[in-house]
């Protein structure tokens, strides 16, 4: 699932492959930007902000959001793609590499000078050089909603998704329904920062220290299975900012109180 660590790693791969090159192919397969062509412009690089990708080309920025199923894949020019053509939403290529955006939910082209207008609402990013834990704790602690919902709100902290929320709350022994102001948010964010930074270069994310399939999480995706610590059956529920956007939650009723 693309969360902040996955997006960070994607940005790093795109940056290493494209930065410094000249765009020889620029194809956005979304109606609003289908006629845009930045061929001939220099690709300055790619960075992540929370779950958002910013690929800077010339004076413009190609913004994309992977959502649940999106991915950027790298190919050599002329290499056969491993996915159907109809799934492609964007192609940015140089003489040496092509980045192909597949199943990407959001694709838009904006002036680089307007990035803050688009993403200025985001909270601090634990993977960014300017990470501000004090401001992140202030925002998270001031949110009156449950800690699970507050942690997912990218306006509080940018980059944590549903898997991180479930796992971090288990590791801190906090019920997901606990109001955020009642939580030691500084300790929670310290753990979250250390965890997401440890995972940012891993192909297989892990919270248990084991990256084998089925062994990497404590509670996430393990509803009605025994807790790895105490053996109590993991519970599964739903929470969200509103009924139409509820997310599945997992917790141990014995380890989290």
């Amino acid at each position: 699932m693309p969360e902040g660590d996955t997006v960070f790693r994607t940005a790093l791969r795109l940056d290493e492959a494209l930065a410094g090159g000249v765009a020889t192919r620029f194809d956005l397969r979304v109606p609003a930007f289908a006629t845009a062509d930045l061929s001939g412009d220099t690709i300055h690089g790619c960075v992540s902000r929370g779950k958002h990708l910013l690929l800077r080309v010339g004076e413009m920025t190609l913004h994309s959001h992977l959502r649940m199923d999106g991915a950027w894949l790298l190919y050599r020019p002329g290499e056969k793609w491993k996915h159907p053509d109809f799934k492609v939403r964007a192609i940015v290529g140089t003489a040496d590499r092509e980045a192909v955006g597949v199943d990407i939910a959001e694709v838009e082209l904006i002036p680089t000078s307007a990035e803050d207008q688009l993403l200025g609402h985001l909270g601090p990013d634990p993977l960014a050089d300017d990470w501000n834990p004090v401001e992140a704790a202030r925002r998270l602690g001031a949110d009156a909603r449950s800690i699970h919902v507050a942690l997912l709100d990218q306006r509080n902290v940018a980059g944590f998704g549903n898997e991180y929320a479930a796992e971090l709350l288990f590791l801190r022994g906090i019920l997901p329904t606990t109001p955020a102001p009642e939580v030691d948010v500084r300790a929670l964010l310290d753990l979250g920062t250390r965890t997401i930074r440890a995972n940012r270069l891993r192909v297989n994310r892990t919270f248990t220290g084991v990256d084998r399939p089925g062994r990497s999480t404590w509670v996430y995706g393990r509803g009605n299975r025994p807790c790895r610590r105490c053996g109590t059956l993991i519970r599964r529920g739903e929470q969200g900012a509103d009924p139409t956007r509820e997310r599945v939650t997992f917790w141990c009723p014995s380890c989290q109180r």
Side-chain angles (χ1 to χ4, degrees):
M1 182 179 300
E3 300 196 22
D5 50 4
T6 301
V7 179
F8 177 91
R9 190 166 57 254
T10 300
L12 183 62
R13 290 174 56 246
L14 292 178
D15 189 76
E16 291 175 343
L18 302 176
V22 174
T24 57
R25 186 175 184 184
F26 192 88
D27 182 6
L28 302 185
R29 299 181 179 182
V30 293
F33 305 102
T35 61
D37 186 3
L38 300 183
S39 298
D41 288 351
T42 298
I43 301 175
H44 303 296
C46 187
V47 297
S48 64
R49 287 184 64 182
K51 299 180 181 181
H52 300 260
L53 275 167
L54 302 171
L55 179 60
R56 294 161 180 158
V57 185
E59 297 182 355
M60 304 296 288
T61 294
L62 176 59
H63 164 252
S64 60
H65 195 298
L66 304 180
R67 296 294 181 187
M68 294 291 290
D69 302 313
W72 278 96
L73 306 176
L74 290 169
Y75 295 95
R76 298 291 179 185
E79 183 179 355
K80 185 178 180 181
W81 294 345
K82 300 177 181 178
H83 44 77
D85 185 77
F86 72 86
K87 289 180 173 287
V88 175
R89 296 292 176 267
I91 307 166
V92 180
T94 67
D96 300 315
R97 303 299 294 275
E98 282 187 348
V100 181
V102 180
D103 282 334
I104 297 176
E106 294 181 28
V107 177
E108 56 188 323
L109 192 64
I110 61 170
T112 299
S113 59
E115 287 180 1
D116 283 344
Q117 296 177 33
L118 179 68
L119 301 179
H121 66 284
L122 294 177
D125 180 350
L127 293 179
D129 293 336
D130 62 353
W131 164 238
N132 187 337
V134 175
E135 175 61 15
R138 184 193 70 77
R139 295 190 186 201
L140 190 60
D143 195 322
R145 297 172 297 178
S146 72
I147 187 60
H148 185 94
V149 172
L151 196 57
L152 292 183
D153 192 328
Q154 302 298 294
R155 295 170 297 181
N156 293 328
V157 191
F160 294 130
N162 207 35
E163 184 173 356
Y164 266 95
E167 292 295 294
L168 294 177
L169 293 177
F170 171 81
L171 290 169
R172 288 291 302 166
I174 302 168
L175 277 175
T177 52
T178 304
E182 298 178 12
V183 173
D184 184 347
V185 292
R186 291 200 177 196
L188 178 63
L189 288 172
D190 178 66
L191 174 64
T193 301
R194 287 186 283 114
T195 304
I196 199 168
R197 289 183 177 179
N199 278 322
R200 62 184 171 181
L201 297 181
R202 289 176 174 151
V203 174
N204 299 313
R205 179 188 302 143
T206 180
F207 297 92
T208 62
V210 180
D211 65 1
R212 295 196 302 274
R215 300 291 298 174
S216 63
T217 63
W218 293 98
V219 293
Y220 184 81
R222 303 191 67 247
N224 208 37
R225 298 176 65 185
C227 174
R228 299 190 195 279
R229 280 184 176 169
C230 70
T232 303
L233 294 183
I234 300 298
R235 292 187 182 175
R236 181 184 185 278
E238 292 184 349
Q239 284 190 65
D242 63 69
T244 64
R245 300 185 63 186
E246 290 188 337
R247 305 294 297 277
V248 177
T249 58
F250 300 91
W251 73 96
C252 172
S254 295
C255 295
Q256 293 170 256
R257 298 181 180 275

